[in-house]
Amino acid sequence: MPQADQPTPSPPAAPPLEAARALRRAMLGDAYVDANAAPAGTVAADFQDYITTVAWGAWARGGALSPRDRSLLVLAMTAATGRMEEFRLHASVRERTGVTDEELDELLFQIAGYCGAPAGLAARRALKDVRDVQDGREAPGV
């Protein structure tokens, strides 16, 4: 038991993987995470844990960037690298991070200006697809 003049020890922090998993679930939602879970005990599950630790661990570490800032950065980086599936995923859950539709529209100009017209156009098409699905309009390719 700590003495009165000694600080009380803090409870142990969640292990990095558990913190990353919790944040991934909070940002992407239970339905997405559950639908994309790899079977336990497989190489796929090990790989998913690795990616979760690395990518979502960057979100879970705290620091000076807010979830909104991190979301905008992920959206810009996935668009810049042509990873439209990831761009769509993060655009579809933007409300959970505090990114507004107006900010996402403005981000398209930044993407086009710094990454080129093809990246900006691809991101714009991907964002339109996300909004169409969310508004109940027909999904692309249907």
Side-chain angles (χ1 to χ4, degrees):
M1 177 168 241
Q3 298 293 325
D5 59 345
Q6 294 179 351
T8 304
S10 299
L17 177 58
E18 293 309 313
R21 280 181 177 159
L23 191 54
R24 178 177 180 245
R25 190 168 284 278
M27 294 292 118
L28 300 180
D30 291 334
Y32 175 85
V33 173
D34 292 344
N36 289 283
T42 65
V43 172
D46 290 345
F47 185 74
Q48 190 170 58
D49 286 349
Y50 172 76
I51 295 298
T52 300
T53 300
V54 172
W56 289 99
W59 286 67
R61 68 177 297 281
L65 296 176
S66 69
R68 179 192 152 278
D69 296 340
R70 291 176 196 277
S71 181
L72 286 168
L73 286 165
V74 167
L75 287 160
M77 289 184 285
T78 55
T81 57
R83 305 308 194 256
M84 289 301 124
E85 184 176 326
E86 286 294 311
F87 181 89
R88 282 184 189 90
L89 172 63
H90 285 271
S92 71
V93 297
R94 66 194 172 279
E95 302 88 14
R96 293 182 180 162
T97 64
V99 173
T100 66
D101 280 332
E102 293 78 18
E103 289 170 324
L104 204 43
D105 288 337
E106 192 62 32
L107 182 64
L108 296 175
F109 289 92
Q110 293 295 117
I111 292 166
Y114 282 86
C115 304
L121 289 167
R124 184 175 177 277
R125 283 190 296 271
L127 181 56
K128 182 185 179 312
D129 292 347
V130 167
R131 288 176 173 163
D132 285 351
V133 168
Q134 290 179 338
D135 291 343
R137 292 189 291 266
E138 218 172 85
V142 176

